[in-house]
Amino acid sequence: MNRRQLIQFFAGLGAVAALVSAPAFAQDKPIKIGVTGGPHAEIMEQVKKLLDKDGVKLQIVEFSDYIQPNAALAAGDLDANSYQHQPYLDDQVKNRGYKLVSVGTTITFPMGVYSKKIKSLSELKAGDRIGVPNDPTNGGRALLLLQEQGVIKLRADAGLKATALDVVDNPKKVKIIELDAAQLPRSLDDFAAAVINGNFAESAGLSPTKNGIAVEAGKGPYVNVIAVRTEDKDKPWVAKLIKAYHSPEIKKFVLEKYKNSVVTSW
């Protein structure tokens, strides 16, 4: 074997080694996805089982707030996250400069109003305190629900990011108290009522259809999404993740476990 043939032989060996080692490396490095507790985490556990069958390892990292999953994803500590709706992601990208993008829709949690003190919002008294999430998109969503229920009226151009400053009519002079979304279920005793995101309500054992004294309309822009860094959106594992999430098996799991409290987007 002459020198040229030897070079070609060893080059061929190198190419074969690369083909053999590449899948093994991918297997050894799981995809890290951030979720919030409750349905997002529970559904992702089912997605993990499906991905295992497809040869994709998934590591689920659970968070207790809305801020950290995007920060961790942007910093490279996660490969993806699944916990937020599109308006919240858009707000984070705009205000924090994150290079993140949604790659698929997941589920919708109808936002509800809950109370341990009243059975209907018509029972609100002058000066009663109502808790709402303190982040811009979910706070605006809560105020729109209170407007829909006739508790307050907002400026016509307030939009999805309405704040308490946009309230132009408040017949019962209720006090809007902003609090971290995750804290609202635990602080329900402190309010006449609180507007709580569906995932945190579910985690606290509250169902909008069973326990809510008011629930937002089913249609709207608040479907949740899976987000990744922009640079990763076309990677093969992303397509596999979405395919597993959008499977009939996951749809069946959501329907049987959560009934009408969680709605699938596919």
Side-chain angles (χ1 to χ4, degrees), residues 21 31 37 39 43 62 86 92 102 177 186 189 202 218:
S21 62
I31 297 163
I43 294 170
E62 194 167 319
Q86 190 67 50
Q92 291 265 292
S102 62
I177 308 297
R186 296 191 288 272
D189 286 329
E202 287 285 341

Side-chain angles (χ1 to χ4, degrees), residues 54-90:
D54 200 20
V56 178
K57 293 182 179 179
L58 191 67
Q59 180 181 344
I60 301 170
V61 183
E62 194 167 319
F63 293 84
S64 60
D65 65 68
Y66 281 173
I67 303 299
Q68 294 306 313
N70 277 335
L73 178 56
D77 298 324
L78 298 174
D79 299 301
N81 65 42
S82 176
Y83 77 104
Q84 64 193 320
H85 50 60
Q86 190 67 50
Y88 185 82
L89 176 60
D90 291 342

Side-chain angles (χ1 to χ4, degrees), residues 114 185 198-208 210-211:
Y114 301 87
N199 57 321
F200 290 129
E202 287 285 341
S203 298
L206 299 171
S207 164
K210 292 181 180 179
N211 311 112

Side-chain angles (χ1 to χ4, degrees), residues 162-217:
T163 71
L165 297 176
D166 294 311
V167 176
V168 294
D169 190 21
N170 185 355
K172 293 193 175 180
K173 303 293 188 271
V174 296
K175 297 177 181 178
I176 305 297
I177 308 297
E178 297 180 337
L179 192 66
D180 182 78
Q183 300 295 324
L184 285 168
R186 296 191 288 272
S187 303
L188 198 51
D189 286 329
D190 299 330
F191 302 109
V195 190
I196 304 176
N197 290 78
N199 57 321
F200 290 129
E202 287 285 341
S203 298
L206 299 171
S207 164
T209 53
K210 292 181 180 179
N211 311 112
I213 61 174
V215 182
E216 71 181 350

Side-chain angles (χ1 to χ4, degrees), residues 9 11 16 49 70 117 132 134-135 153 164 191-192 223 240 243:
F9 174 75
V16 171
K49 294 176 183 178
N70 277 335
K117 300 176 181 178
V132 300
N134 64 359
D135 61 273
K153 184 177 180 180
F191 302 109
V223 60
K240 289 187 175 184
K243 180 181 178 182

Side-chain angles (χ1 to χ4, degrees), residues 9 13 16 18-19 24 34 37 51 55 68 80 101 105 109 120 128 151 173 185 206 220:
F9 174 75
L13 285 180
V16 171
L19 288 172
L51 286 174
Q68 294 306 313
V101 62
T105 59
F109 298 89
S120 168
D128 272 348
V151 177
K173 303 293 188 271
L206 299 171

